[in-house]
């Protein structure tokens, strides 16, 4: 035993495979938030949206016995909460931090309340399991193959979203609009871009992905729901976005960093290494701060991040 | 008062744009009061008027930035409901704003296709082709792949014009386009505008400079205090008539108020040097060298005018002297004591004051009161505060006194600065800086964007201050201002000062050349 | 103008609360509960019983302390959302030091020193974000947020490891004997934390309004650029504000350990930070307005707990009301601003 078995293929597959799966909710939320922030909105409500997605997804999956329905519900709940956020922050131009925290408190309270009403003190688990899809050939590649290519569909979706969103952001007209709106809404408006619409769309995308992420956490990664089960993942997603300089590829790296530390904390204990899990769980947050100091110190924030836009003002 | 209708030929008689009875109110101001304005195909129609006359507001209504409270617009004979810049562009109306509306982090091509193309994917090669076509047709040249913040102001303006043309605009609205240009660049712009008319475009040209207006316009509409006061046809007029028209325009612009133009008095400037700047080198915010080893001296009671086009190191020079910017090399001495890299607090303690041109950005805090803004720099001194506690009464007294002295119009010292007009804000800044009786006063564009009366007041006040021995560095892109006030004039070009000479010896044209870096 | 805006502010807060309660009623009806009964239990137990009133006033103390720090930071335009971490660090330090200090020192002196320990603990947890912000302009929203999670894990580790009371099974610090805790306000069962909390709020109110430090932080909060240009030492003010702000959170931690819990427990996080942020915004960053709001807020928590036992409604219901209240308030803010004619697109309200 000991550290040597760290390099054992089976252990590696489990560690990396679980890390990837565990990072997926985070990755989805962070990818969505990348777009939201690029368009100039800081959405602190994704924690609440993820929780609501997790709850809604779980309940629907439980009653319909359909994982797919669960995911769809998660996405829809994310959409609705993002619509509310958008109405308040974009249409009414209310402070984004207040609205975000309001959504988070509401989501956390609502899900816990409804869960208790529905199930009392029971903790039901899903009768159906999310099925994995093994992609032949590539899954036979040693070490990485089994870890990456034997996953749930949503994991592939999240991975596929990375290049897709990157292309959308840098190669399309809509992506250009997003970059312009977050950087200089006045100019974008003068150029004929509908600032509010671009922001609404980005916020909705962010909400849907966060809702899906939450649903995946409850019904893809785990198969139960508990109060506040997201454990701050929504906030971590925001940190990852900043760490990833608003670029989908870098965001993946940040998400994996968190996933790995989470699996490590349990993995190392399995190996019998005597480290308290809290110590390892603390590391990614420290890493974010250190990384910000060294990497992000010189990055440009989207200039208009957090500032409401109104034509003819500033 | 009646407009001179002289249709040149049948094609031109039709109005491309026809605005009738446009009224626009802002809180407390009637910015446009039932203004009629129209534009024929293929003409340059100038909107002339002082700052605050309502020219930009009128054009913002046309370009969809503002919604009019009253009045109607028709484009090419059809009534138009313009609710956003997008609508205006669709109707073929493109505006080039005074403050450019380019996204600095994007490239030229990206800026040009932004908000225009509706295909899913960006097709920058196609855009580039279209761009090159426009460039060869009009003589506008710029690198399509450059990132906008790397470009000079003149180049950015070209990008703006190309952008508007690329969208198929037939009507170009240019808001004070020459205010950011060198005399040479302005000439280039005029040539381009003439070319545009040849290719069937129509131009609305906004300016407050009479000379320019007369030189390039086919027609001039004069606005004053939100009202249309005159419309004059210039096309086909003889030289003598033109001269008479000019007088007519001057009367229209300024009404009966004669602005007293003070004659420069010969003053005795002491030989004592107050400020010495040697081999000053400093970087700008982007990390590029903005000041390259410039040197000059400033004597007691003297006004040193620094002319030059925006962006040649003006900001950096002012900030270096007033302790706001670290310098890399060189020396700044005030009465023989070094003040380089000592910070703002030290510089201001030593008697260096700064009137910034970024009034609402750096100069004052909009959400705080006038009184609080007055003590923004002196709040730590008695009687404004004692033992770390503010003395509200003496703060208000101080402020009332300055309001009276500087003729600042506000209901009381606790009025929020956001509620004041631009002129009053500038007077506030000047009052605050002069109340410390500085030895050196650095002013950046002190009258930019102000009306004639406030401009007069501020210039006179600066001049009066020199009689008490204050030395002034006047950094301005307004050449008239420099020539009127300065005892000596220097030209700042790419971070260097080209020739400092007494102002009665310099010629306008020479300075104009120097502003472009052309030395004899 | 200011009068009108204050008046409107009070009305819009009131309306937001009513709207939240109404929406809550609809929710209760939907899940088959009787809203009249739930609200009756909530208000009668929370506002009309001795227990409810006492507990509410006790609960107010930490919220007032945390809000004091938040107001200071927000007024300076600094978004300290690291209250949770700062609270926990302050609390665990007090939990660790209290048993010994109370034994060896006179009671009053010990409590004063422990208050200071809590304050310093919270302050310590704000040092890194403060320095990073002042030195490199690193966004404090992110750093303070991260410090929350570091603090949460660090305190859990400490209380399960080095600082654990080995004599009991659950991971916690040694219990402070009852006579060693905060004394009561005469004739009540409310400990003096409430008095301290009100003093904190009033002190902050005066500091912001009347002192040169308050002036500097207001300038900084309204216009950072102008602050730099008016020889305000921006780094110094930034650091001081964030440190003091963290200190108040730590003080709240000390209050809860010394007055309420008597020890520091693993997995204990009352979550004052995230709740107090919208609360402070609701009060428009005005210290005096925070006092009634924090009363209502504490009442919701305490009344909710009492109501949930009596009416069999999950305690989380009040959290729903809380969230709704903030969202409705946010919506109302738009109309209040329009009415009062306040323009400007600052990140602050």
């Amino acid at each position: 035993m000991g550290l040597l078995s760290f390099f054992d293929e089976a252990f590696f597959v489990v560690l990396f495979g679980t890390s990837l799966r565990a990072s997926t909710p985070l990755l989805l939320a962070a990818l969505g938030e990348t777009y939201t922030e690029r368009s100039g909105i800081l959405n602190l409500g994704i924690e609440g949206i993820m929780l609501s997605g997790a709850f809604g997804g779980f309940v629907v999956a439980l009653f319909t016995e359909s994982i797919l329905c669960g995911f769809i519900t998660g996405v829809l709940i994310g959409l609705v909460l993002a619509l509310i956020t958008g109405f308040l922050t974009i249409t009414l131009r209310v402070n984004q931090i207040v609205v975000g925290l309001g959504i988070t408190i509401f989501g956390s309270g609502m899900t816990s309340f409804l869960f208790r009403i529905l199930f009392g003190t029971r903790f039901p688990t899903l009768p159906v399991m999310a099925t994995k899809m093994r992609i032949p050939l590539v899954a036979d590649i040693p070490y990485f193959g089994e870890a990456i290519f034997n996953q749930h569909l949503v994991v592939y979706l999240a991975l596929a979203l990375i290049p897709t969103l990157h292309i959308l952001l840098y190669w399309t007209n809509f992506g250009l609009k997003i970059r312009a709106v977050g950087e200089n809404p006045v100019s974008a408006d003068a150029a004929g871009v509908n600032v509010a619409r671009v922001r609404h769309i980005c916020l909705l995308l962010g909400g849907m992905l966060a809702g899906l992420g939450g649903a995946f956490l409850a019904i893809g990664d785990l198969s139960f729901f508990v109060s506040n089960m997201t454990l701050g993942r929504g906030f971590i997603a925001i940190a990852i976005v900043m760490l990833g300089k608003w670029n989908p590829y870098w965001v993946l790296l940040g998400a994996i960093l968190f996933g790995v530390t989470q699996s490590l904390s349990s993995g190392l204990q399995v190996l019998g290494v005597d480290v308290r899990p809290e110590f390892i769980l603390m590391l990614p947050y420290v890493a974010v701060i250190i990384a910000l100091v060294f990497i992000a110190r010189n990055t440009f924030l989207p200039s208009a991040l957090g500032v409401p836009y109104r034509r003819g003002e500033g | 008062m009646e407009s001179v209708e002289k249709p040149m030929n049948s094609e031109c008689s039709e109005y491309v744009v026809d605005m009738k009875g446009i009224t626009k109110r802002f809180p407390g101001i009637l910015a446009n009061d039932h203004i009629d304005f129209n534009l024929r195909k293929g003409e340059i129609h100038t909107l002339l008027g002082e700052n605050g006359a309502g020219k930009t507001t009128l054009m913002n209504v046309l370009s969809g930035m503002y919604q009019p409270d009253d009045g109607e617009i028709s484009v090419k004979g059809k009534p138009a409901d313009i609710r956003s810049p997008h609508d205006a562009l669709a109707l073929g109306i493109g505006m080039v704003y005074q403050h450019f509306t380019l996204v600095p982090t994007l490239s030229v091509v990206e800026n040009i296709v932004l908000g225009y193309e509706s295909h899913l994917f960006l097709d920058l090669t196609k855009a580039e082709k279209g761009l090159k076509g426009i460039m060869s047709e009009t003589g506008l040249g710029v690198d399509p792949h450059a990132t906008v913040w790397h470009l000079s102001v003149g180049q950015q303006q070209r990008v703006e014009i190309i952008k508007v043309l690329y969208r198929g605009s037939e009507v170009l609205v240019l808001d004070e386009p020459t205010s950011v240009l060198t005399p040479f660049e302005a000439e280039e712009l005029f040539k381009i505008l003439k070319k545009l008319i040849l290719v069937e475009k129509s131009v609305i040209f906004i300016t407050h400079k009479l000379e320019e207006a007369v030189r390039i316009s086919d027609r001039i509409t004069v606005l004053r205090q939100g009202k249309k006061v005159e419309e004059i046809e210039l096309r086909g007029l003889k030289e003598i008539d033109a001269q008479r028209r000019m007088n007519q325009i001057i009367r229209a612009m300024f009404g009966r108020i004669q602005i007293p133009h003070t004659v420069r008095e010969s003053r005795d400037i002491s030989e004592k040097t107050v400020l010495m700047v040697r081999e000053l080198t400093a970087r700008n915010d982007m990390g590029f060298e903005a000041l390259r080893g410039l040197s000059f001296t400033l004597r007691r009671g003297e006004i040193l005018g620094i002319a030059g086009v925006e962006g040649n190191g003006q900001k950096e020079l002012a900030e270096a002297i007033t302790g706001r910017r670290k310098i890399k090399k060189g020396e700044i001495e005030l009465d023989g004591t070094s003040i380089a890299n000592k910070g703002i607090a030290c510089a201001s303690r030593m008697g260096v004051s700064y009137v910034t041109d970024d009034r609402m950005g750096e100069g004052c805090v909009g959400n705080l009161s006038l009184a609080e803004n007055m003590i923004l720099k002196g709040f730590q001194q008695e009687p404004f505060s004692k033992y770390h506690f503010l003395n509200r009464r003496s703060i208000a007294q101080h402020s009332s006194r300055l309001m009276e002295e500087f003729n600042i119009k506000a209901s009381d010292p606790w009025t929020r600065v956001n509620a004041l007009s631009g002129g009053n804000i500038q007077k506030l800044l000047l009052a605050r800086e002069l109340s410390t009786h500085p030895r050196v006063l650095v002013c950046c564009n002190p009258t930019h964007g102000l009306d004639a009366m406030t401009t007069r007041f501020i210039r006179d006040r600066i001049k009066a201050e020199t009689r008490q021995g204050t030395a002034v560095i006047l950094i301005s892109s307004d050449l008239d201002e420099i020539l009127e006030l300065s005892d000596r004039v220097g030209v700042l070009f790419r971070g260097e000062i080209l020739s400092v000479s007494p102002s009665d010896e310099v010629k306008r044209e020479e300075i104009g050349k120097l502003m472009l870096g052309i030395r004899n | 103008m200011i009068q009108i805006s204050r008046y409107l502010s009070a009305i819009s807060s009131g309306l937001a609360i009513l709207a939240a309660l109404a929406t809550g009623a609809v929710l209760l009806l939907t899940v088959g509960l009787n809203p009249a009964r739930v609200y009756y239990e909530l208000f009668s137990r929370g506002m009309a019983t001795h227990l409810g009133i006492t507990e509410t006033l006790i609960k107010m103390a930490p919220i007032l302390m945390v809000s004091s720090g938040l107001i200071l930071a927000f007024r300076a335009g600094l978004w300290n959302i690291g209250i949770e971490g700062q609270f926990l660090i302050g609390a665990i330090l007090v939990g660790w030091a209290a048993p010994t200090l109370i034994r060896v020192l006179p009671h009053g002196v010990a409590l004063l020193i422990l208050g200071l320990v809590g304050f310093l603990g919270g302050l310590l947890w704000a040092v890194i974000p403060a320095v990073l912000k002042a030195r490199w302009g690193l966004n404090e929203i992110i750093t303070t947020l991260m410090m929350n999670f570091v603090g949460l894990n660090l305190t859990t580790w400490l209380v399960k490891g080095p600082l654990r009371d080995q004599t009991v099974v659950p991971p916690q610090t040694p219990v402070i004997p009852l006579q060693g805790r905060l004394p009561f306000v005469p004739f009540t069962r409310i400990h003096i934390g409430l008095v301290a909390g009100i003093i904190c709020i009033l002190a902050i109110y005066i500091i912001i309004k009347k002192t040169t430090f308050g002036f500097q932080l207001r300038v900084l909060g309204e216009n950072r650029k102008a602050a730099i240009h008016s020889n305000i030492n921006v780094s110094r003010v930034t650091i001081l504000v964030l440190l003091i702000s963290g200190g108040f959170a730590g003080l709240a931690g000390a209050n809860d350990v010394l007055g309420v819990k008597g020890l520091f427990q693993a997995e204990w996080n009352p979550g004052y930070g995230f709740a107090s942020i919208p609360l402070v915004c609701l009060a428009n960053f005005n210290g005096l307005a925070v006092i009634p709001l924090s009363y209502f807020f504490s009442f919701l928590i305490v009344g909710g707990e009492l109501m949930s036992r009596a009416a069999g409604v999950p305690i989380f219901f009040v959290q729903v009301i809380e969230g709704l209240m903030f969202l409705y308030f946010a919506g109302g803010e738009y109309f209040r601003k329009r009415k009062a004619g306040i323009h400007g697109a600052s990140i602050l309200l």
Side-chain angles (χ1 to χ4, degrees), chain B residues 373-391:
Chain B
N373 273 285
M374 282 288 191
I375 57 151
L376 211 50
K377 296 189 178 170
F379 64 90
Q380 264 154 339
Q381 291 146 16
E382 282 189 54
F384 307 135
S385 67
K386 206 173 176 184
Y387 308 122
H388 298 290
F389 274 84
L390 295 168
N391 183 339

Side-chain angles (χ1 to χ4, degrees), chain A residues 39-40 45 61 64 80 85 102 109 114-116 124 133 173 183 205 221 226 243-244 271 306 313:
Chain A
S39 76
T64 61
V80 171
T85 310
L114 290 177
F115 186 77
R116 191 63 69 78
M133 262 178 52
N173 276 301
E183 197 60 46
L205 178 74
D221 188 12
V226 283
L243 196 61
L271 288 181
E313 225 177 52

Side-chain angles (χ1 to χ4, degrees), chain A residues 17-137:
Chain A
T18 350
S19 300
L20 189 61
R21 203 179 64 215
S23 333
T24 301
L26 199 56
L27 179 60
L28 284 167
L31 286 173
E33 180 69 9
T34 306
Y35 265 55
T36 313
E37 287 188 20
R38 269 287 175 138
S39 76
I41 305 277
L42 179 68
N43 185 4
L44 285 180
I46 38 178
E47 174 78 6
I49 297 180
M50 283 182 87
L51 260 177
S52 308
F55 173 77
F58 171 74
V59 171
V60 169
L62 186 69
F63 289 128
T64 61
E65 301 205 349
S66 155
I67 297 283
L68 182 69
C69 287
F71 285 134
I72 292 173
T73 312
V75 172
L76 287 179
I77 287 179
L79 190 81
V80 171
L81 289 177
L83 264 175
I84 298 173
T85 310
F87 173 71
L88 290 168
T89 56
I90 303 167
T91 312
L92 298 187
R93 295 182 298 276
V94 177
N95 181 310
Q96 296 170 5
I97 292 179
V98 177
V99 174
L101 289 178
I103 290 278
T104 291
I105 293 172
F106 172 75
S108 150
M110 192 70 166
T111 52
S112 306
F113 173 72
L114 290 177
F115 186 77
R116 191 63 69 78
I117 292 281
L118 283 174
F119 305 106
T121 47
R122 289 182 301 124
F123 285 97
T125 49
L126 285 181
V128 279
M129 275 297 288
T131 44
K132 286 183 175 178
M133 262 178 52
R134 191 170 193 279
I135 300 176
L137 294 177

Side-chain angles (χ1 to χ4, degrees), chain A residues 80-271:
Chain A
V80 171
L81 289 177
L83 264 175
I84 298 173
T85 310
F87 173 71
L88 290 168
T89 56
I90 303 167
T91 312
L92 298 187
R93 295 182 298 276
V94 177
N95 181 310
Q96 296 170 5
I97 292 179
V98 177
V99 174
L101 289 178
I103 290 278
T104 291
I105 293 172
F106 172 75
S108 150
M110 192 70 166
T111 52
S112 306
F113 173 72
L114 290 177
F115 186 77
R116 191 63 69 78
I117 292 281
L118 283 174
F119 305 106
T121 47
R122 289 182 301 124
F123 285 97
T125 49
L126 285 181
V128 279
M129 275 297 288
T131 44
K132 286 183 175 178
M133 262 178 52
R134 191 170 193 279
I135 300 176
L137 294 177
V138 277
D140 298 327
I141 303 168
Y143 285 87
F144 287 98
E146 187 71 20
I148 299 177
F149 295 104
N150 186 16
Q151 294 282 6
H152 188 267
L153 197 63
V154 175
V155 178
Y156 298 129
L157 176 75
L159 291 176
L161 270 175
I162 298 164
T164 313
L165 291 178
H166 189 266
I167 288 169
L168 196 63
L169 194 57
Y170 289 97
W171 292 9
T172 67
N173 276 301
F174 186 68
L176 182 63
K177 286 182 188 173
I178 296 174
R179 285 183 284 148
V181 162
E183 197 60 46
N184 192 338
V186 183
S187 296
D189 189 14
V193 178
N194 187 332
V195 176
R197 192 166 73 194
V198 171
R199 287 187 168 177
H200 273 297
I201 292 173
C202 288
L203 191 59
L204 288 183
L205 178 74
M208 282 155 61
L209 289 181
L212 179 64
F216 181 78
L217 178 68
I219 58 185
D221 188 12
L222 312 165
S223 52
F224 55 86
F225 179 87
V226 283
S227 283
N228 294 318
M229 72 185 299
T230 48
L231 296 171
R233 278 187 180 77
F235 296 116
I236 297 165
I238 292 167
I240 289 176
V241 173
M242 301 230 169
L243 196 61
K245 300 180 178 184
W246 299 272
N247 179 321
Y249 286 111
W250 284 99
V251 164
L252 169 71
L253 255 157
I256 287 183
L257 171 75
F258 272 88
V260 166
T261 46
Q262 247 151 13
S263 328
L264 252 187
S265 67
S266 46
L268 283 180
Q269 287 195 323
V270 173
L271 288 181

Side-chain angles (χ1 to χ4, degrees), chain C residues 68-340:
Chain C
S68 307
L70 285 176
I71 290 175
L72 198 72
F74 291 175
R75 273 300 185 95
L78 297 166
W79 289 94
N80 175 15
I81 50 179
I83 295 296
E84 320 263 306
Q86 294 147 8
F87 175 91
L88 289 175
I89 297 292
I92 199 167
L93 284 182
V94 171
W96 163 68
T100 328
L101 282 180
I102 284 170
R103 201 157 8 97
V104 294
L105 290 172
H107 194 209
V109 180
L111 290 181
L112 270 180
I113 291 179
L114 285 169
L116 202 66
V117 166
F119 193 91
L120 288 176
L123 184 146
L124 190 77
W125 214 237
V127 166
I128 292 175
V131 170
L132 291 181
K133 172 80 181 180
R135 182 77 182 77
W136 288 309
L138 226 61
N139 188 324
E140 77 282 3
I141 298 181
I142 292 305
T143 49
T144 51
L145 193 61
M146 292 301 105
M147 291 302 280
N148 275 343
F149 293 105
V150 179
L152 188 67
N153 285 306
L154 181 70
T155 50
T156 312
W157 172 67
L158 283 173
V159 79
K160 283 184 179 170
L163 303 185
R164 179 174 183 170
D165 179 3
Q166 303 292 347
T167 58
V168 290
V169 181
Q172 61 185 49
T173 57
V175 182
I176 304 163
L178 280 176
Q179 67 275 14
R181 299 189 190 174
L182 289 179
F184 292 122
V185 177
F187 312 115
T188 66
R189 303 284 297 166
I190 303 158
H191 63 79
I192 55 159
L194 177 65
V195 180
I198 290 175
I199 291 174
C200 288
I201 276 285
L202 293 179
I204 287 297
Y205 183 79
I206 290 168
I207 286 174
I208 290 174
K209 274 223 132 140
K210 308 265 181 200
T211 68
T212 52
F213 178 63
F215 180 72
Q216 294 179 64
L217 74 88
R218 273 188 294 144
V219 171
L220 180 63
E222 292 287 350
N223 185 343
R224 197 182 163 74
K225 245 160 83 186
I228 295 168
H229 281 265
S230 53
N231 61 44
I232 287 173
N233 189 336
V234 172
S235 311
R236 193 172 143 258
V237 177
T238 302
I239 290 183
L240 267 177
V241 164
L242 279 175
L243 292 189
I244 297 174
S245 171
F248 276 113
L251 188 65
N255 172 79
D256 273 22
V257 168
L258 293 173
V260 185
K261 303 246 352 162
L263 50 81
F264 186 94
Q265 227 170 8
E267 320 293 338
W268 170 57
N269 182 12
Y272 293 131
F274 285 143
S276 299
I277 290 169
L279 183 83
V280 165
C281 295
L282 237 144
N284 241 333
F285 309 135
N286 179 320
L288 300 183
V290 160
I291 298 176
L293 280 170
S294 72
Y295 169 76
F296 186 77
F297 190 74
S298 320
F299 147 73
L300 269 186
I301 301 173
V302 171
E305 212 166 299
L306 297 172
M307 171 274 291
S308 101
R309 265 180 255 155
V313 174
I315 171 92
F316 306 108
F317 176 67
V318 293
Q319 210 187 337
V320 176
I321 298 287
E322 223 177 89
L324 283 171
M325 196 169 88
F326 292 143
L327 292 176
Y328 278 120
F329 168 75
E333 184 63 11
Y334 168 72
F335 297 101
R336 193 184 70 77
K337 265 202 292 190
R338 269 210 344 195
K339 271 268 160 62

Side-chain angles (χ1 to χ4, degrees), chain B residues 48 190 207-217 220 246 253 480 508:
Chain B
L48 184 66
F190 295 155
T207 186
H208 65 276
K209 293 176 189 157
L210 180 62
E211 210 187 338
E212 260 174 36
V214 174
R215 265 201 54 204
I216 65 158
S217 315
I220 295 177
M246 199 121 152
M253 267 180 91
D480 296 322
R508 251 189 111 80

